[in-house]
Amino acid sequence: MDQQLLEKMIREVMLSMAKGESSNSNTTTASSYGKTTSADYPLSKKKADTVKSATGKRLDEFTIENVMSGQVGAADCRIAPETLEMQAQIAESVNRDSFARNLRRASELIAVPDARILEIYNSLRPYRSTKAELIAIAEELENKYKAVVNAQFIREAAELYEKRDRLRKD
């Protein structure tokens, strides 16, 4: 699946989640490969041909031999947004809607470098950031990484920290 199509599909799901629409609608991000349900669980056994890493490696490429020869590296071990979407659909099929939303939020963060995620995590600890710093993080997530739902989460945290006096004082 090409990157632009994937980004478009993720944006559509995130926008529908932000509007409070049901994510069980027929316009899911996985529409290009069909709806996934609990009957497809575990994906590694029942849909192994559709599960790929963020770099496009298939499950059958993850062998000791390929790791030892350098054909599979650390970057290949990141999950793909499509796989998280399939897992979210499985969660929804067994009425685990909150878990499905968490998986979709996680899919947004795949594009964010690990080091930046840790910096953001530390910035979210009480008294670590000003409101302006948190808003800047939200804008970065939204504009640079297209992580719309996570950006909204940061904005909500900034408002809550302000109400509870948990922001860093300049």
mmCIF file of all heavy atoms in Angstrom, residues 65-114:
data_model
loop_
_atom_site.group_PDB
_atom_site.id
_atom_site.type_symbol
_atom_site.label_atom_id
_atom_site.label_comp_id
_atom_site.label_asym_id
_atom_site.label_seq_id
_atom_site.Cartn_x
_atom_site.Cartn_y
_atom_site.Cartn_z
ATOM 1 N N GLU A 65 18.183 -16.755 10.643
ATOM 2 C CA GLU A 65 19.165 -16.652 9.565
ATOM 3 C C GLU A 65 19.185 -15.230 8.980
ATOM 4 O O GLU A 65 20.254 -14.656 8.758
ATOM 5 C CB GLU A 65 18.878 -17.673 8.455
ATOM 6 C CG GLU A 65 19.064 -19.118 8.861
ATOM 7 C CD GLU A 65 17.862 -19.681 9.632
ATOM 8 O OE1 GLU A 65 16.748 -19.110 9.564
ATOM 9 O OE2 GLU A 65 18.061 -20.697 10.319
ATOM 10 N N ASN A 66 18.006 -14.670 8.730
ATOM 11 C CA ASN A 66 17.942 -13.325 8.164
ATOM 12 C C ASN A 66 18.424 -12.262 9.143
ATOM 13 O O ASN A 66 19.031 -11.265 8.743
ATOM 14 C CB ASN A 66 16.526 -13.008 7.682
ATOM 15 C CG ASN A 66 16.171 -13.716 6.393
ATOM 16 O OD1 ASN A 66 17.031 -14.275 5.723
ATOM 17 N ND2 ASN A 66 14.898 -13.709 6.047
ATOM 18 N N VAL A 67 18.168 -12.471 10.418
ATOM 19 C CA VAL A 67 18.672 -11.525 11.423
ATOM 20 C C VAL A 67 20.187 -11.607 11.491
ATOM 21 O O VAL A 67 20.886 -10.587 11.467
ATOM 22 C CB VAL A 67 18.033 -11.794 12.808
ATOM 23 C CG1 VAL A 67 18.729 -10.972 13.892
ATOM 24 C CG2 VAL A 67 16.538 -11.497 12.788
ATOM 25 N N MET A 68 20.716 -12.817 11.550
ATOM 26 C CA MET A 68 22.167 -13.008 11.663
ATOM 27 C C MET A 68 22.899 -12.493 10.423
ATOM 28 O O MET A 68 24.009 -11.982 10.526
ATOM 29 C CB MET A 68 22.504 -14.485 11.891
ATOM 30 C CG MET A 68 21.951 -15.040 13.193
ATOM 31 S SD MET A 68 22.505 -14.163 14.659
ATOM 32 C CE MET A 68 24.185 -14.678 14.754
ATOM 33 N N SER A 69 22.278 -12.592 9.256
ATOM 34 C CA SER A 69 22.931 -12.144 8.027
ATOM 35 C C SER A 69 22.732 -10.644 7.777
ATOM 36 O O SER A 69 23.299 -10.097 6.847
ATOM 37 C CB SER A 69 22.395 -12.927 6.827
ATOM 38 O OG SER A 69 21.049 -12.547 6.559
ATOM 39 N N GLY A 70 21.912 -10.001 8.607
ATOM 40 C CA GLY A 70 21.678 -8.569 8.454
ATOM 41 C C GLY A 70 20.557 -8.223 7.483
ATOM 42 O O GLY A 70 20.297 -7.050 7.232
ATOM 43 N N GLN A 71 19.874 -9.228 6.952
ATOM 44 C CA GLN A 71 18.762 -8.961 6.037
ATOM 45 C C GLN A 71 17.537 -8.412 6.772
ATOM 46 O O GLN A 71 16.688 -7.767 6.167
ATOM 47 C CB GLN A 71 18.386 -10.222 5.258
ATOM 48 C CG GLN A 71 19.449 -10.644 4.278
ATOM 49 C CD GLN A 71 19.067 -11.917 3.542
ATOM 50 O OE1 GLN A 71 18.112 -12.592 3.883
ATOM 51 N NE2 GLN A 71 19.840 -12.243 2.519
ATOM 52 N N VAL A 72 17.456 -8.689 8.072
ATOM 53 C CA VAL A 72 16.406 -8.140 8.930
ATOM 54 C C VAL A 72 17.099 -7.408 10.067
ATOM 55 O O VAL A 72 17.935 -7.987 10.762
ATOM 56 C CB VAL A 72 15.470 -9.241 9.482
ATOM 57 C CG1 VAL A 72 14.529 -8.674 10.533
ATOM 58 C CG2 VAL A 72 14.675 -9.882 8.358
ATOM 59 N N GLY A 73 16.774 -6.132 10.199
ATOM 60 C CA GLY A 73 17.386 -5.322 11.250
ATOM 61 C C GLY A 73 16.341 -4.743 12.191
ATOM 62 O O GLY A 73 15.143 -5.016 12.069
ATOM 63 N N ALA A 74 16.811 -3.922 13.108
ATOM 64 C CA ALA A 74 15.925 -3.332 14.115
ATOM 65 C C ALA A 74 14.797 -2.523 13.482
ATOM 66 O O ALA A 74 13.649 -2.584 13.927
ATOM 67 C CB ALA A 74 16.736 -2.462 15.068
ATOM 68 N N ALA A 75 15.097 -1.776 12.430
ATOM 69 C CA ALA A 75 14.071 -0.952 11.781
ATOM 70 C C ALA A 75 12.944 -1.811 11.207
ATOM 71 O O ALA A 75 11.804 -1.369 11.115
ATOM 72 C CB ALA A 75 14.699 -0.105 10.680
ATOM 73 N N ASP A 76 13.265 -3.046 10.839
ATOM 74 C CA ASP A 76 12.266 -3.945 10.272
ATOM 75 C C ASP A 76 11.289 -4.479 11.322
ATOM 76 O O ASP A 76 10.257 -5.045 10.973
ATOM 77 C CB ASP A 76 12.945 -5.142 9.595
ATOM 78 C CG ASP A 76 13.834 -4.723 8.446
ATOM 79 O OD1 ASP A 76 13.371 -3.915 7.618
ATOM 80 O OD2 ASP A 76 14.988 -5.189 8.399
ATOM 81 N N CYS A 77 11.603 -4.298 12.583
ATOM 82 C CA CYS A 77 10.774 -4.853 13.655
ATOM 83 C C CYS A 77 9.644 -3.927 14.089
ATOM 84 O O CYS A 77 8.879 -4.262 14.983
ATOM 85 C CB CYS A 77 11.654 -5.218 14.859
ATOM 86 S SG CYS A 77 12.796 -6.563 14.483
ATOM 87 N N ARG A 78 9.526 -2.789 13.455
ATOM 88 C CA ARG A 78 8.419 -1.879 13.766
ATOM 89 C C ARG A 78 7.154 -2.353 13.070
ATOM 90 O O ARG A 78 7.182 -2.742 11.918
ATOM 91 C CB ARG A 78 8.760 -0.462 13.319
ATOM 92 C CG ARG A 78 9.926 0.139 14.093
ATOM 93 C CD ARG A 78 10.163 1.547 13.640
ATOM 94 N NE ARG A 78 9.117 2.400 14.153
ATOM 95 C CZ ARG A 78 9.311 3.382 15.015
ATOM 96 N NH1 ARG A 78 10.508 3.664 15.416
ATOM 97 N NH2 ARG A 78 8.304 4.104 15.444
ATOM 98 N N ILE A 79 6.048 -2.255 13.781
ATOM 99 C CA ILE A 79 4.769 -2.689 13.225
ATOM 100 C C ILE A 79 4.274 -1.675 12.201
ATOM 101 O O ILE A 79 4.546 -0.477 12.316
ATOM 102 C CB ILE A 79 3.746 -2.907 14.363
ATOM 103 C CG1 ILE A 79 2.539 -3.684 13.862
ATOM 104 C CG2 ILE A 79 3.352 -1.581 14.996
ATOM 105 C CD1 ILE A 79 1.672 -4.222 14.984
ATOM 106 N N ALA A 80 3.556 -2.140 11.234
ATOM 107 C CA ALA A 80 2.991 -1.266 10.197
ATOM 108 C C ALA A 80 1.620 -0.742 10.643
ATOM 109 O O ALA A 80 0.885 -1.445 11.337
ATOM 110 C CB ALA A 80 2.843 -2.034 8.889
ATOM 111 N N PRO A 81 1.276 0.465 10.232
ATOM 112 C CA PRO A 81 -0.052 0.995 10.573
ATOM 113 C C PRO A 81 -1.186 0.086 10.107
ATOM 114 O O PRO A 81 -2.197 -0.051 10.795
ATOM 115 C CB PRO A 81 -0.097 2.343 9.844
ATOM 116 C CG PRO A 81 1.321 2.731 9.653
ATOM 117 C CD PRO A 81 2.080 1.438 9.492
ATOM 118 N N GLU A 82 -1.021 -0.571 8.967
ATOM 119 C CA GLU A 82 -2.062 -1.473 8.455
ATOM 120 C C GLU A 82 -2.302 -2.634 9.411
ATOM 121 O O GLU A 82 -3.439 -3.068 9.600
ATOM 122 C CB GLU A 82 -1.677 -2.030 7.080
ATOM 123 C CG GLU A 82 -1.491 -0.997 6.011
ATOM 124 C CD GLU A 82 -0.042 -0.521 5.875
ATOM 125 O OE1 GLU A 82 0.781 -0.743 6.783
ATOM 126 O OE2 GLU A 82 0.253 0.081 4.827
ATOM 127 N N THR A 83 -1.231 -3.134 10.006
ATOM 128 C CA THR A 83 -1.361 -4.245 10.948
ATOM 129 C C THR A 83 -2.106 -3.783 12.194
ATOM 130 O O THR A 83 -2.976 -4.490 12.708
ATOM 131 C CB THR A 83 0.028 -4.807 11.313
ATOM 132 O OG1 THR A 83 0.685 -5.213 10.114
ATOM 133 C CG2 THR A 83 -0.089 -5.986 12.261
ATOM 134 N N LEU A 84 -1.782 -2.588 12.675
ATOM 135 C CA LEU A 84 -2.508 -2.059 13.827
ATOM 136 C C LEU A 84 -3.978 -1.848 13.499
ATOM 137 O O LEU A 84 -4.843 -2.077 14.340
ATOM 138 C CB LEU A 84 -1.865 -0.757 14.315
ATOM 139 C CG LEU A 84 -0.558 -0.941 15.075
ATOM 140 C CD1 LEU A 84 0.127 0.401 15.293
ATOM 141 C CD2 LEU A 84 -0.803 -1.638 16.399
ATOM 142 N N GLU A 85 -4.265 -1.413 12.279
ATOM 143 C CA GLU A 85 -5.666 -1.244 11.876
ATOM 144 C C GLU A 85 -6.394 -2.584 11.869
ATOM 145 O O GLU A 85 -7.532 -2.680 12.334
ATOM 146 C CB GLU A 85 -5.763 -0.568 10.509
ATOM 147 C CG GLU A 85 -7.172 -0.474 9.975
ATOM 148 C CD GLU A 85 -8.160 0.249 10.876
ATOM 149 O OE1 GLU A 85 -7.759 1.155 11.628
ATOM 150 O OE2 GLU A 85 -9.365 -0.097 10.824
ATOM 151 N N MET A 86 -5.747 -3.625 11.360
ATOM 152 C CA MET A 86 -6.378 -4.950 11.386
ATOM 153 C C MET A 86 -6.638 -5.392 12.827
ATOM 154 O O MET A 86 -7.696 -5.930 13.144
ATOM 155 C CB MET A 86 -5.514 -5.966 10.643
ATOM 156 C CG MET A 86 -5.545 -5.801 9.143
ATOM 157 S SD MET A 86 -4.752 -7.155 8.236
ATOM 158 C CE MET A 86 -3.023 -6.858 8.590
ATOM 159 N N GLN A 87 -5.666 -5.140 13.702
ATOM 160 C CA GLN A 87 -5.849 -5.501 15.107
ATOM 161 C C GLN A 87 -6.981 -4.683 15.735
ATOM 162 O O GLN A 87 -7.756 -5.201 16.544
ATOM 163 C CB GLN A 87 -4.547 -5.307 15.873
ATOM 164 C CG GLN A 87 -3.500 -6.316 15.481
ATOM 165 C CD GLN A 87 -2.168 -6.069 16.175
ATOM 166 O OE1 GLN A 87 -1.789 -4.939 16.437
ATOM 167 N NE2 GLN A 87 -1.454 -7.141 16.459
ATOM 168 N N ALA A 88 -7.092 -3.425 15.351
ATOM 169 C CA ALA A 88 -8.181 -2.576 15.850
ATOM 170 C C ALA A 88 -9.528 -3.129 15.396
ATOM 171 O O ALA A 88 -10.498 -3.157 16.179
ATOM 172 C CB ALA A 88 -7.998 -1.137 15.373
ATOM 173 N N GLN A 89 -9.608 -3.578 14.166
ATOM 174 C CA GLN A 89 -10.864 -4.153 13.676
ATOM 175 C C GLN A 89 -11.221 -5.431 14.424
ATOM 176 O O GLN A 89 -12.395 -5.670 14.733
ATOM 177 C CB GLN A 89 -10.766 -4.409 12.177
ATOM 178 C CG GLN A 89 -10.775 -3.142 11.375
ATOM 179 C CD GLN A 89 -10.729 -3.407 9.885
ATOM 180 O OE1 GLN A 89 -10.938 -4.529 9.424
ATOM 181 N NE2 GLN A 89 -10.464 -2.369 9.118
ATOM 182 N N ILE A 90 -10.223 -6.239 14.731
ATOM 183 C CA ILE A 90 -10.476 -7.445 15.525
ATOM 184 C C ILE A 90 -11.007 -7.050 16.893
ATOM 185 O O ILE A 90 -11.993 -7.617 17.387
ATOM 186 C CB ILE A 90 -9.204 -8.311 15.650
ATOM 187 C CG1 ILE A 90 -8.871 -8.943 14.303
ATOM 188 C CG2 ILE A 90 -9.379 -9.392 16.719
ATOM 189 C CD1 ILE A 90 -7.510 -9.617 14.249
ATOM 190 N N ALA A 91 -10.384 -6.062 17.519
ATOM 191 C CA ALA A 91 -10.831 -5.595 18.840
ATOM 192 C C ALA A 91 -12.285 -5.112 18.770
ATOM 193 O O ALA A 91 -13.096 -5.434 19.641
ATOM 194 C CB ALA A 91 -9.909 -4.492 19.347
ATOM 195 N N GLU A 92 -12.616 -4.359 17.735
ATOM 196 C CA GLU A 92 -13.996 -3.884 17.579
ATOM 197 C C GLU A 92 -14.970 -5.040 17.394
ATOM 198 O O GLU A 92 -16.090 -4.987 17.899
ATOM 199 C CB GLU A 92 -14.102 -2.939 16.386
ATOM 200 C CG GLU A 92 -13.509 -1.587 16.641
ATOM 201 C CD GLU A 92 -13.480 -0.713 15.409
ATOM 202 O OE1 GLU A 92 -13.547 -1.210 14.270
ATOM 203 O OE2 GLU A 92 -13.374 0.504 15.612
ATOM 204 N N SER A 93 -14.542 -6.075 16.693
ATOM 205 C CA SER A 93 -15.443 -7.202 16.431
ATOM 206 C C SER A 93 -15.802 -7.955 17.703
ATOM 207 O O SER A 93 -16.778 -8.700 17.717
ATOM 208 C CB SER A 93 -14.844 -8.144 15.391
ATOM 209 O OG SER A 93 -13.826 -8.951 15.939
ATOM 210 N N VAL A 94 -15.019 -7.766 18.764
ATOM 211 C CA VAL A 94 -15.334 -8.389 20.063
ATOM 212 C C VAL A 94 -15.676 -7.316 21.105
ATOM 213 O O VAL A 94 -15.522 -7.516 22.304
ATOM 214 C CB VAL A 94 -14.198 -9.320 20.552
ATOM 215 C CG1 VAL A 94 -14.064 -10.523 19.639
ATOM 216 C CG2 VAL A 94 -12.880 -8.582 20.704
ATOM 217 N N ASN A 95 -16.136 -6.174 20.593
ATOM 218 C CA ASN A 95 -16.614 -5.062 21.427
ATOM 219 C C ASN A 95 -15.554 -4.495 22.371
ATOM 220 O O ASN A 95 -15.868 -4.100 23.491
ATOM 221 C CB ASN A 95 -17.871 -5.477 22.211
ATOM 222 C CG ASN A 95 -18.989 -5.854 21.283
ATOM 223 O OD1 ASN A 95 -19.250 -5.161 20.302
ATOM 224 N ND2 ASN A 95 -19.647 -6.976 21.558
ATOM 225 N N ARG A 96 -14.324 -4.429 21.903
ATOM 226 C CA ARG A 96 -13.232 -3.811 22.664
ATOM 227 C C ARG A 96 -12.890 -2.487 21.997
ATOM 228 O O ARG A 96 -11.792 -2.268 21.508
ATOM 229 C CB ARG A 96 -12.008 -4.732 22.702
ATOM 230 C CG ARG A 96 -12.215 -6.112 23.289
ATOM 231 C CD ARG A 96 -12.183 -6.175 24.806
ATOM 232 N NE ARG A 96 -11.118 -5.466 25.436
ATOM 233 C CZ ARG A 96 -9.902 -5.947 25.713
ATOM 234 N NH1 ARG A 96 -9.593 -7.171 25.402
ATOM 235 N NH2 ARG A 96 -9.010 -5.191 26.321
ATOM 236 N N ASP A 97 -13.888 -1.586 21.964
ATOM 237 C CA ASP A 97 -13.750 -0.326 21.235
ATOM 238 C C ASP A 97 -12.653 0.577 21.792
ATOM 239 O O ASP A 97 -11.945 1.230 21.032
ATOM 240 C CB ASP A 97 -15.087 0.413 21.205
ATOM 241 C CG ASP A 97 -16.145 -0.353 20.423
ATOM 242 O OD1 ASP A 97 -15.778 -1.146 19.538
ATOM 243 O OD2 ASP A 97 -17.337 -0.164 20.702
ATOM 244 N N SER A 98 -12.501 0.614 23.102
ATOM 245 C CA SER A 98 -11.441 1.443 23.688
ATOM 246 C C SER A 98 -10.066 0.950 23.266
ATOM 247 O O SER A 98 -9.190 1.741 22.930
ATOM 248 C CB SER A 98 -11.532 1.443 25.215
ATOM 249 O OG SER A 98 -12.708 2.080 25.626
ATOM 250 N N PHE A 99 -9.901 -0.355 23.264
ATOM 251 C CA PHE A 99 -8.626 -0.932 22.825
ATOM 252 C C PHE A 99 -8.386 -0.622 21.351
ATOM 253 O O PHE A 99 -7.269 -0.284 20.952
ATOM 254 C CB PHE A 99 -8.625 -2.441 23.084
ATOM 255 C CG PHE A 99 -7.325 -3.114 22.750
ATOM 256 C CD1 PHE A 99 -6.116 -2.644 23.254
ATOM 257 C CD2 PHE A 99 -7.300 -4.225 21.927
ATOM 258 C CE1 PHE A 99 -4.916 -3.263 22.944
ATOM 259 C CE2 PHE A 99 -6.104 -4.852 21.605
ATOM 260 C CZ PHE A 99 -4.911 -4.374 22.113
ATOM 261 N N ALA A 100 -9.436 -0.683 20.542
ATOM 262 C CA ALA A 100 -9.310 -0.364 19.118
ATOM 263 C C ALA A 100 -8.855 1.080 18.939
ATOM 264 O O ALA A 100 -7.986 1.365 18.111
ATOM 265 C CB ALA A 100 -10.640 -0.599 18.402
ATOM 266 N N ARG A 101 -9.420 2.009 19.714
ATOM 267 C CA ARG A 101 -8.992 3.414 19.624
ATOM 268 C C ARG A 101 -7.526 3.554 20.019
ATOM 269 O O ARG A 101 -6.779 4.320 19.404
ATOM 270 C CB ARG A 101 -9.886 4.303 20.494
ATOM 271 C CG ARG A 101 -11.256 4.554 19.869
ATOM 272 C CD ARG A 101 -12.032 5.623 20.618
ATOM 273 N NE ARG A 101 -12.253 5.320 22.025
ATOM 274 C CZ ARG A 101 -13.275 4.594 22.491
ATOM 275 N NH1 ARG A 101 -14.171 4.097 21.667
ATOM 276 N NH2 ARG A 101 -13.399 4.382 23.778
ATOM 277 N N ASN A 102 -7.093 2.831 21.049
ATOM 278 C CA ASN A 102 -5.683 2.875 21.452
ATOM 279 C C ASN A 102 -4.771 2.373 20.332
ATOM 280 O O ASN A 102 -3.704 2.946 20.094
ATOM 281 C CB ASN A 102 -5.457 2.041 22.715
ATOM 282 C CG ASN A 102 -6.026 2.690 23.947
ATOM 283 O OD1 ASN A 102 -6.271 3.893 23.977
ATOM 284 N ND2 ASN A 102 -6.266 1.902 24.973
ATOM 285 N N LEU A 103 -5.177 1.319 19.661
ATOM 286 C CA LEU A 103 -4.371 0.798 18.555
ATOM 287 C C LEU A 103 -4.274 1.814 17.429
ATOM 288 O O LEU A 103 -3.215 1.989 16.823
ATOM 289 C CB LEU A 103 -4.962 -0.516 18.048
ATOM 290 C CG LEU A 103 -4.825 -1.701 18.993
ATOM 291 C CD1 LEU A 103 -5.716 -2.854 18.534
ATOM 292 C CD2 LEU A 103 -3.380 -2.150 19.096
ATOM 293 N N ARG A 104 -5.350 2.515 17.165
ATOM 294 C CA ARG A 104 -5.324 3.526 16.106
ATOM 295 C C ARG A 104 -4.469 4.725 16.512
ATOM 296 O O ARG A 104 -3.770 5.302 15.674
ATOM 297 C CB ARG A 104 -6.746 3.928 15.734
ATOM 298 C CG ARG A 104 -7.455 2.808 14.977
ATOM 299 C CD ARG A 104 -8.771 3.239 14.381
ATOM 300 N NE ARG A 104 -9.314 2.154 13.597
ATOM 301 C CZ ARG A 104 -10.378 1.428 13.957
ATOM 302 N NH1 ARG A 104 -11.033 1.694 15.068
ATOM 303 N NH2 ARG A 104 -10.796 0.462 13.174
ATOM 304 N N ARG A 105 -4.505 5.093 17.782
ATOM 305 C CA ARG A 105 -3.608 6.167 18.245
ATOM 306 C C ARG A 105 -2.154 5.720 18.083
ATOM 307 O O ARG A 105 -1.304 6.502 17.658
ATOM 308 C CB ARG A 105 -3.907 6.540 19.697
ATOM 309 C CG ARG A 105 -5.083 7.474 19.854
ATOM 310 C CD ARG A 105 -5.166 8.033 21.258
ATOM 311 N NE ARG A 105 -5.531 7.025 22.252
ATOM 312 C CZ ARG A 105 -6.781 6.694 22.561
ATOM 313 N NH1 ARG A 105 -7.782 7.271 21.964
ATOM 314 N NH2 ARG A 105 -7.021 5.789 23.480
ATOM 315 N N ALA A 106 -1.886 4.482 18.411
ATOM 316 C CA ALA A 106 -0.525 3.954 18.260
ATOM 317 C C ALA A 106 -0.094 3.987 16.799
ATOM 318 O O ALA A 106 1.065 4.281 16.506
ATOM 319 C CB ALA A 106 -0.450 2.530 18.806
ATOM 320 N N SER A 107 -1.016 3.712 15.890
ATOM 321 C CA SER A 107 -0.644 3.706 14.469
ATOM 322 C C SER A 107 -0.186 5.083 14.011
ATOM 323 O O SER A 107 0.660 5.194 13.133
ATOM 324 C CB SER A 107 -1.794 3.200 13.602
ATOM 325 O OG SER A 107 -2.818 4.156 13.476
ATOM 326 N N GLU A 108 -0.739 6.133 14.617
ATOM 327 C CA GLU A 108 -0.291 7.490 14.278
ATOM 328 C C GLU A 108 1.162 7.712 14.683
ATOM 329 O O GLU A 108 1.880 8.470 14.047
ATOM 330 C CB GLU A 108 -1.127 8.535 15.026
ATOM 331 C CG GLU A 108 -2.447 8.850 14.458
ATOM 332 C CD GLU A 108 -3.052 10.075 15.128
ATOM 333 O OE1 GLU A 108 -2.629 10.493 16.220
ATOM 334 O OE2 GLU A 108 -3.972 10.619 14.531
ATOM 335 N N LEU A 109 1.562 7.090 15.776
ATOM 336 C CA LEU A 109 2.891 7.358 16.334
ATOM 337 C C LEU A 109 4.015 6.585 15.650
ATOM 338 O O LEU A 109 5.187 6.816 15.933
ATOM 339 C CB LEU A 109 2.886 7.066 17.840
ATOM 340 C CG LEU A 109 1.976 7.978 18.663
ATOM 341 C CD1 LEU A 109 1.973 7.554 20.123
ATOM 342 C CD2 LEU A 109 2.404 9.435 18.516
ATOM 343 N N ILE A 110 3.680 5.702 14.741
ATOM 344 C CA ILE A 110 4.720 4.938 14.044
ATOM 345 C C ILE A 110 5.675 5.867 13.307
ATOM 346 O O ILE A 110 6.872 5.624 13.248
ATOM 347 C CB ILE A 110 4.087 3.903 13.100
ATOM 348 C CG1 ILE A 110 3.442 2.800 13.943
ATOM 349 C CG2 ILE A 110 5.110 3.325 12.139
ATOM 350 C CD1 ILE A 110 2.602 1.833 13.162
ATOM 351 N N ALA A 111 5.159 6.950 12.769
ATOM 352 C CA ALA A 111 5.990 7.890 12.006
ATOM 353 C C ALA A 111 6.898 8.740 12.895
ATOM 354 O O ALA A 111 7.853 9.338 12.412
ATOM 355 C CB ALA A 111 5.100 8.807 11.165
ATOM 356 N N VAL A 112 6.617 8.778 14.182
ATOM 357 C CA VAL A 112 7.381 9.627 15.102
ATOM 358 C C VAL A 112 8.606 8.844 15.593
ATOM 359 O O VAL A 112 8.468 7.724 16.089
ATOM 360 C CB VAL A 112 6.515 10.065 16.302
ATOM 361 C CG1 VAL A 112 7.291 10.987 17.239
ATOM 362 C CG2 VAL A 112 5.223 10.730 15.814
ATOM 363 N N PRO A 113 9.794 9.421 15.469
ATOM 364 C CA PRO A 113 11.000 8.717 15.944
ATOM 365 C C PRO A 113 10.911 8.390 17.443
ATOM 366 O O PRO A 113 10.353 9.160 18.230
ATOM 367 C CB PRO A 113 12.123 9.719 15.679
ATOM 368 C CG PRO A 113 11.593 10.632 14.619
ATOM 369 C CD PRO A 113 10.112 10.713 14.855
ATOM 370 N N ASP A 114 11.470 7.249 17.812
ATOM 371 C CA ASP A 114 11.420 6.800 19.201
ATOM 372 C C ASP A 114 11.953 7.849 20.175
ATOM 373 O O ASP A 114 11.364 8.075 21.233
ATOM 374 C CB ASP A 114 12.212 5.501 19.380
ATOM 375 C CG ASP A 114 11.556 4.329 18.684
ATOM 376 O OD1 ASP A 114 10.364 4.417 18.317
ATOM 377 O OD2 ASP A 114 12.252 3.301 18.502
#
